[in-house]
Amino acid sequence: MTLRLGVNIDHVATIRNARGGMHPCPVRAAKLAESAGADGITAHLREDRRHISDADIVRLVEELRLPLNLEMAATPEMLQIALRNKPHAACIVPEKRTEVTTEGGLDVAGQQSTLEQYVAELQAADIRVSLFIDPDRAQLEAAKALGAVVVELHTGKYCETRGTAQAFEVERLQQAALYAAELGLECHAGHGLNYETVMPIAAIPSLTELNIGHFLIGEAIFLGLEASIIEMKRLMLAARE
Ligand code: PXP
């Protein structure tokens, strides 16, 4: 199975917004990511618009050849935006106004009936829906039960821990990816990955996509964006061999 790299460009917009102007442009970054070998672009339109804007989403859909994965909270506003723009995929994430980044996975099991209708409306518009969840059997079963075809496993905890705690988190992710395959769910992963943490995750055979942002944009300061992406892709493919 091949492993795709989705490059999250949110933090190009964070830098742009720091001065309120047009530079650096996330659409330009997405095009560069494509020429560096990215397989998809991910952008999170947050309720407070702290990085990616509505206008960015319109341009990304219109101008990109790569598939766009729109990360969004399950709100009525985001549903309308997704239906209007029709990205290739939508990844439903939990969102809290005060968090610095997406802190944990979506509680699919705890809000099954609300999410079921939400996912059905997106899928009826031909948008491939994934649910961003912790590597947990009950969440996988709930995702399957409500008709999702893709899940993305939250790797944040794995990236934050060290030693035996980290080994335990790798094991959890491996088991969850295996169980997702048994349930017939396509399985992605992401959050907090860098050159060190990516390899054990990329080595999990049933994963088909990793979504990586903050580290790549940060590393671009030192290496340039294309070089930072090329190196990430090299490590991912090396882990698969
Ligand atoms: N996947 C999902 C669902 C996310 O919410 C994020 C962060 O926006 C990422 C992947 C990428 O995480 P990071 O920017 O830490 O690489």
Side-chain angles (χ1 to χ4, degrees):
M1 220 180 291
T2 55
L3 182 61
R4 297 188 299 270
L5 170 61
V7 173
N8 181 317
I9 52 162
D10 290 348
H11 297 300
V12 178
T14 304
I15 300 171
R16 174 194 62 191
N17 296 356
R19 285 291 172 93
M22 309 284 281
H23 187 270
C25 171
V27 179
R28 181 175 166 200
K31 290 177 182 171
L32 257 182
E34 178 173 7
S35 60
D39 303 288
I41 297 298
T42 293
H44 185 174
L45 186 66
R46 293 187 78 103
E47 189 192 7
D48 62 9
R49 308 300 197 269
R50 70 176 73 154
H51 37 58
I52 291 294
S53 69
D54 300 57
D56 292 329
I57 297 298
V58 172
R59 282 195 61 201
L60 287 166
V61 170
E62 277 175 3
E63 296 181 36
L64 278 190
R65 277 175 303 183
L66 287 180
L68 176 69
N69 174 33
L70 173 64
E71 286 176 3
M72 52 189 257
T75 63
E77 182 200 17
M78 289 300 150
L79 180 63
Q80 290 317 312
I81 291 170
L83 295 177
R84 210 166 45 238
N85 288 283
K86 292 226 165 79
H88 168 79
C91 179
I92 313 296
V93 301
E95 200 176 292
K96 289 190 222 129
R97 238 169 208 267
T98 50
E99 70 190 354
V100 175
T101 183
T102 318
E103 281 168 358
L106 196 63
D107 181 15
V108 184
Q111 39 180 335
Q112 194 136 354
S113 56
T114 336
L115 281 174
E116 191 162 18
Q117 175 65 20
Y118 202 88
V119 169
E121 285 197 51
L122 289 166
Q123 287 178 339
D126 255 346
I127 299 169
R128 220 172 139 70
V129 181
S130 76
L131 301 173
F132 189 45
I133 58 173
D134 288 323
D136 179 280
R137 281 176 85 88
Q139 298 297 346
L140 285 161
E141 284 160 7
K144 176 70 184 176
L146 66 74
V149 288
V150 188
V151 288
E152 180 168 329
L153 302 178
H154 199 311
T155 53
K157 198 155 178 211
Y158 153 72
C159 292
E160 283 163 14
T161 47
R162 293 289 172 270
T164 48
Q166 191 171 46
F168 175 74
E169 292 302 325
V170 176
E171 174 77 19
R172 274 183 81 201
L173 288 158
Q174 286 166 340
Q175 293 304 323
L178 207 61
Y179 192 44
E182 275 171 43
L183 293 172
L185 293 165
E186 182 176 327
C187 194
H188 303 170
H191 208 282
L193 294 170
N194 60 28
Y195 292 153
E196 264 176 51
T197 51
V198 76
M199 291 191 78
I201 302 305
I204 300 173
S206 53
L207 290 179
T208 57
E209 183 173 303
L210 300 183
N211 285 300
I212 308 178
H214 184 267
F215 176 80
L216 287 174
I217 305 306
E219 196 61 11
I221 294 168
F222 307 109
L223 297 183
L225 185 58
E226 281 184 290
S228 84
I229 293 169
I230 288 168
E231 176 61 4
M232 185 61 82
K233 193 94 196 263
R234 186 188 73 72
L235 292 168
M236 284 167 53
L237 299 181
R240 269 294 155 100
E241 273 167 14

